[in-house]
Amino acid sequence: ALERERRLGSFVVELARWLLAAPETELLLRYTLQSLMHLIDAQGAFVALKQGDGETLRVSPALGEAEAIEGLELGLHSSTTGRVVRTGEALISADLRAERDASPIASGLSDAARSALIAPLRTSHGAVGAVGLIRYQGEGAAPPLPFSLYDLHYLTAVAAHIAGGIELSQAVAATRAAADRASAMVDSSPLPMALVDTTGTVQQINEAAVHVFGLAAKEAALGRHLEALGLSPSQLTVRLMLAGRREGEPWHGRVLVTQESGDRRICDCTVTGLRGLGSENLLVALYDRTDELRAQRELIAREKLATVGEIASGVAHEV
């Protein structure tokens, strides 16, 4: 018993290291099930997690002799595992096939499957699934020993860590997805934007800004100063333009962007601090008005020519 307690303690410490590293859920579960089978002397193990519809569970992964049921879908209200998830109470069974709601998981296992131990996986949002261990009867051998309360103690302790790992992995995945969506929104925006540090060095840039600065790719802007990219504000320096923005006071003005090709772009510029995000970086948003101003100049020139024509016509008429 002391040896098993020592093995459990060592395993939980190792599992905690995995959780801190935030591994992928699949790797975490496979590693944990493999260790559980060795720790509690079982020949098969599986995890069944709730699906998006809230009415079914999907077995993944399944290891050892239970590998045949990987990918199996179980009804939350029509399976033994579903009952464990619904009630939040662990199950110890001497013969899983004898359970009144064992189907379809029992039918997916080999005929040698006997003792089963299934515990719920509880997170802060309730039970999200269950973890199960199965012992098999060898050919011509006596039925395997049923799982004990000690085994349930071990499984319950590890199940809490598994649930924490699942919750952590889901949180990491959700954060990554949110970051990817935000990055996609910024990158697809027609408004040129650049994320810079307080000195003006570019940390991130979107495609529209790459076009304004006349660059071949985003990588050409990363780590370079705004002045090196050809940006110069009217009547002040970039340092003064960025100063004081962290206090929440945006700067609005007009800047000139001189591309390496010699082409010049006139832009309205807004510099704001990323308040509430715990970051000292600044967001530089540009609005390219070059074509608009060029069209205005052409319109003014045409109006001047039209006025000159009218005056010439009037003078000729008077003459």
Side-chain angles (χ1 to χ4, degrees):
L2 288 174
E3 175 61 18
R4 295 183 71 182
E5 290 287 351
R6 185 195 66 78
R7 290 164 57 192
L8 175 64
S10 300
F11 169 61
V12 169
V13 170
E14 186 65 25
L15 182 58
R17 292 175 181 169
W18 274 65
L19 297 183
L20 290 176
E24 297 296 331
T25 305
E26 184 75 11
L27 291 176
L28 169 70
L29 294 179
R30 286 189 176 278
Y31 166 76
T32 306
L33 291 183
Q34 192 70 46
S35 300
L36 273 175
M37 286 193 297
H38 178 68
L39 182 69
I40 306 182
D41 189 23
Q43 293 78 49
F46 68 90
V47 168
L49 298 178
K50 265 186 181 180
Q51 299 303 290
D53 58 7
E55 295 295 325
T56 57
L57 304 169
R58 185 175 183 275
V59 177
S60 181
L63 302 183
E65 295 189 35
E67 189 176 3
I69 64 173
E70 173 138 10
L72 185 67
E73 291 196 353
L74 310 173
L76 192 64
H77 299 276
S78 58
S79 65
T80 303
T81 308
R83 171 158 47 102
V84 171
V85 175
R86 287 196 327 270
T87 62
E89 297 179 359
L91 168 76
I92 299 178
S93 174
D95 190 348
L96 180 62
R97 300 172 303 168
E99 296 295 321
R100 55 183 172 82
D101 49 7
S103 167
I105 196 170
S107 60
L109 296 169
S110 68
D111 293 336
R114 291 294 183 272
S115 303
L117 174 59
I118 306 175
L121 297 174
R122 299 187 185 92
T123 68
S124 57
H125 304 291
V128 297
V131 55
L133 296 172
I134 303 170
R135 286 175 177 164
Y136 288 75
Q137 181 177 1
E139 186 175 353
L145 293 174
F147 290 99
S148 65
L149 291 178
Y150 287 106
D151 297 326
L152 176 60
H153 165 70
Y154 298 143
L155 183 60
T156 303
V158 175
H161 286 76
I162 296 176
I166 292 174
E167 191 168 24
L168 178 60
S169 297
Q170 290 175 343
V172 170
T175 302
R176 287 176 179 169
D180 290 341
R181 287 194 299 270
S183 178
M185 289 174 60
V186 171
D187 202 44
S188 60
S189 171
L191 189 68
M193 287 184 282
L195 190 68
V196 303
D197 62 16
T198 53
T199 66
T201 302
V202 176
Q203 307 295 317
Q204 190 175 345
I205 194 170
N206 69 349
E207 288 293 341
V210 169
H211 176 71
V212 167
F213 287 114
L215 303 173
K218 294 180 183 179
E219 290 73 19
L222 301 182
R224 296 177 63 184
H225 196 272
L226 288 174
E227 291 178 341
L229 294 176
L231 186 144
S232 57
S234 301
Q235 300 178 351
L236 75 164
T237 64
V238 171
R239 184 181 62 81
L240 292 175
M241 180 184 79
L242 299 178
R245 303 291 80 80
R246 286 177 295 174
E247 284 70 25
E249 299 177 1
W251 179 87
H252 304 282
R254 181 158 292 179
V255 298
L256 177 67
V257 177
T258 304
Q259 300 178 356
E260 293 180 355
S261 63
D263 189 18
R264 295 185 175 185
R265 313 298 297 182
I266 302 172
C267 303
D268 287 341
C269 177
T270 299
V271 182
T272 55
L274 299 180
R275 291 177 294 174
L277 298 180
S279 172
E280 294 186 352
N281 290 337
L282 305 172
L283 181 65
V284 178
L286 303 173
Y287 179 71
D288 191 353
R289 301 194 60 188
T290 307
D291 295 336
E292 178 186 345
L293 295 175
R294 183 180 293 123
Q296 289 179 359
R297 287 197 299 269
E298 291 177 356
L299 179 60
I300 292 173
R302 289 176 183 176
E303 290 178 349
K304 287 181 178 179
L305 289 175
T307 303
V308 170
E310 290 177 0
I311 292 175
S313 175
V315 169
H317 177 74
E318 291 298 327
V319 171

